[in-house]
Amino acid sequence: MDSPPNPDEEIICQCFQVSDATIKAHIKNENLKEIEQVTEACGAGGGCQSCHMLIQLFIDQHHNPGKPPEPKNDDKEGGVKKRGFFSKLFQRY
Ligand code: FES
């Protein structure tokens, strides 16, 4: 583990008390591309995994600066088109 985070830094990984600055520094200095690599480097993401979304965001921001993240679902036309459990039960024919 790294040294305790600066109080000005935001703790991203609550399980291992790893700050945004620590995670970003490891991504930058070691050119990390996978969440698992970040976990090996500083421990962040090795517990409940609720911080994985933010770690992935930091990785994406480092490797694609200025580029907005790709949409993960079908909201390209502006509408929300999530397909949940009920959409499987009530399919349109
Ligand atoms: S908050 Fe990062 S692993 Fe739980």
Side-chain angles (χ1 to χ4, degrees), residues 13-15 45-51:
C13 181
Q14 297 296 330
C15 292
C48 71
Q49 303 183 355
S50 64
C51 60

